[in-house]
Amino acid sequence: MKQLLEFLGFVAVLQGAMGLVHEFTDWNIGLVQRIGVLDGYEVYASAALLALGGALFAAAESRTSG
């Protein structure tokens, strides 16, 4: 379970960072800008993904490995 939480946290942080890079540099990377519902709210969604990733890493650290 700990490894799953760490993997999901890594994916969330990665997608959040790529979403912010897309917004500030117009590189076509990440999945946040491809979701039509989030049109106009990409920065907020990317920041939320970064926060979610941090929370998932914290939850993974609180779990025991065995």
Side-chain angles (χ1 to χ4, degrees):
M1 185 69 167
K2 181 178 180 177
Q3 291 176 345
L4 177 64
L5 288 172
E6 287 175 346
F7 174 74
L8 291 175
F10 175 73
V11 170
V13 167
L14 186 66
Q15 287 299 315
M18 287 194 307
L20 289 176
V21 167
H22 170 75
E23 285 300 312
F24 296 121
T25 63
D26 285 333
W27 292 353
N28 289 325
I29 58 172
L31 296 174
V32 174
Q33 74 273 5
R34 292 189 175 102
I35 300 174
V37 175
L38 298 174
D39 195 27
Y41 297 100
E42 291 92 355
V43 173
Y44 301 115
S46 296
L49 278 171
L50 287 172
L52 175 66
L56 285 170
F57 280 132
E61 285 297 316
S62 70
R63 306 281 297 186
T64 59
S65 61

